[in-house]
Amino acid sequence: MHHVESVNLATQTFAMCMKADQGLSIGSMKAGGVGGVTPRLIDVDGLKKKMDKVIIIDVREADEMGKPDVKQIEGAIQYPLGPLLRDAADDSLDEKFKTTPLVTICNAGYRSGIASDQLNAMGYDCCSLHGGATAFFAPKAAWYSPEYVVLLTTTDTQKATLACSVATASQAQSRKTILVLMGDAPLLFRKPEIENPAPKFDEINIGEPFKPLKGVVAKFLDLGGQVFACKSCVKHSGLEYSKMRDYVNPMQAPDLSRMTVGAQGSSSF
């Protein structure tokens, strides 16, 4: 695992990486990497499911970590980028780094992307946290990157059934899919005890060949689908997130714009 050129490259680009990483937001962040190579990425959900099975390496500098506004992931090992790559190239990292999957993190994902790219080139098993520590502590809508977006804007039972059915079919095809509730649609996902003339989704059954919506939504969630509701629309509907089903994630219009632009496709109902 002797790749001295990796260390030289990291040293040459270190100042640039520091500036780029600190200036990025989650929405504008592009995956780092050296020579245009995209590093292996893991998102926040993926990391949280594997926290006890990976070693998290924070590649930010010691003077950064001492700042009061810097968020740190519990259990992460602080190992600045330069020394990390130098020690990896010298084959002097602790044995546990060679036998356990690694996840590198930084502020927004640029430096950790370079670290992941270089460590993988040296034979380590490493992913970079997409969006960095900023994403880890941010609401899901700020960093989630769906492959398909289904937008529902009404409490109409037929349109609600079509939207949820399309979302479930997409998720069943292993596409990261989100169901976005706008307009009056948040009312469909209110908690059972919240009274309103609008139907609740789990009461909807428009008949064959469509299945009752309760089962459709349950399958969507079981497959890993995500439900988001527009903050302004929730308020306009006379609701608040505490009155909605626990799995409904808050979001705002800029979040929807970012996710739709980055998705492979979308449908509106």
Side-chain angles (χ1 to χ4, degrees):
M1 294 185 180
H2 293 277
H3 288 254
V4 178
E5 67 275 12
S6 299
V7 180
N8 292 335
L9 182 55
T11 301
Q12 294 168 5
T13 60
F14 180 69
M16 177 188 70
C17 298
M18 284 278 292
K19 182 177 180 181
D21 184 58
Q22 292 174 345
L24 291 169
S25 65
I26 298 173
S28 65
M29 194 274 293
K30 299 296 183 183
V34 179
V37 177
T38 300
R40 290 167 53 196
L41 298 174
I42 187 171
D43 66 15
V44 175
D45 278 349
L47 176 57
K48 288 182 176 180
K49 293 175 182 176
K50 299 179 178 180
M51 294 284 281
D52 60 342
K53 298 181 178 65
V54 300
I55 295 175
I56 304 173
I57 304 175
D58 194 323
V59 301
R60 291 176 289 184
E61 296 297 299
D63 58 352
E64 291 180 78
M65 306 306 284
K67 296 178 180 179
D69 59 337
V70 171
K71 298 183 184 297
Q72 302 182 43
I73 299 177
E74 185 176 356
I77 297 173
Q78 208 272 318
Y79 211 141
L81 178 62
L84 172 65
L85 295 185
R86 181 183 62 242
D87 291 347
D90 289 341
D91 202 14
S92 59
L93 289 180
D94 190 284
E95 190 66 25
K96 65 183 179 182
F97 290 89
K98 305 173 186 177
T99 58
T100 306
L102 309 175
V103 176
T104 51
I105 65 168
C106 57
N107 183 47
Y110 192 89
R111 279 174 286 171
S112 63
I114 290 177
S116 173
D117 183 31
Q118 291 294 297
L119 288 171
N120 283 317
M122 287 186 258
Y124 293 86
D125 179 8
C126 186
C127 291
S128 171
L129 177 61
H130 185 54
T134 304
F136 191 87
F137 294 99
K140 181 171 287 190
W143 55 264
Y144 200 74
S145 298
E147 296 170 317
Y148 200 82
V149 177
V150 178
L151 180 63
L152 177 61
T153 63
T154 177
T155 59
D156 179 84
T157 57
Q158 186 175 37
K159 290 184 177 180
T161 299
L162 290 171
C164 294
S165 298
V166 168
T168 302
S170 175
Q171 188 67 34
Q173 294 172 358
S174 299
R175 287 194 295 185
K176 288 176 65 176
T177 302
I178 62 172
L179 175 64
V180 179
L181 309 174
M182 299 190 77
D184 295 329
L187 289 167
L188 295 170
F189 284 77
R190 67 189 187 277
K191 288 182 175 177
E193 66 272 17
I194 305 301
E195 296 296 330
N196 189 281
K200 301 182 185 73
F201 78 87
D202 45 12
E203 300 170 339
I204 296 175
N205 181 6
I206 64 173
E208 294 292 339
F210 297 99
K211 300 182 185 303
L213 214 49
K214 182 177 181 179
V216 174
V217 172
K219 182 178 180 180
F220 176 67
L221 297 172
D222 288 343
L223 290 171
Q226 300 289 326
V227 181
F228 291 85
C230 164
K231 181 178 180 180
S232 297
C233 299
V234 169
K235 183 176 181 180
H236 181 73
S237 298
L239 296 172
E240 51 194 54
Y241 288 108
S242 63
K243 296 180 179 179
M244 301 190 69
R245 309 296 170 113
D246 293 338
Y247 50 77
V248 175
N249 298 287
M251 77 175 308
Q252 301 188 60
D255 300 319
L256 176 61
S257 176
R258 176 190 64 80
M259 290 192 279
T260 302
V261 168
Q264 298 172 359
S266 64
S267 300
S268 299
F269 296 89

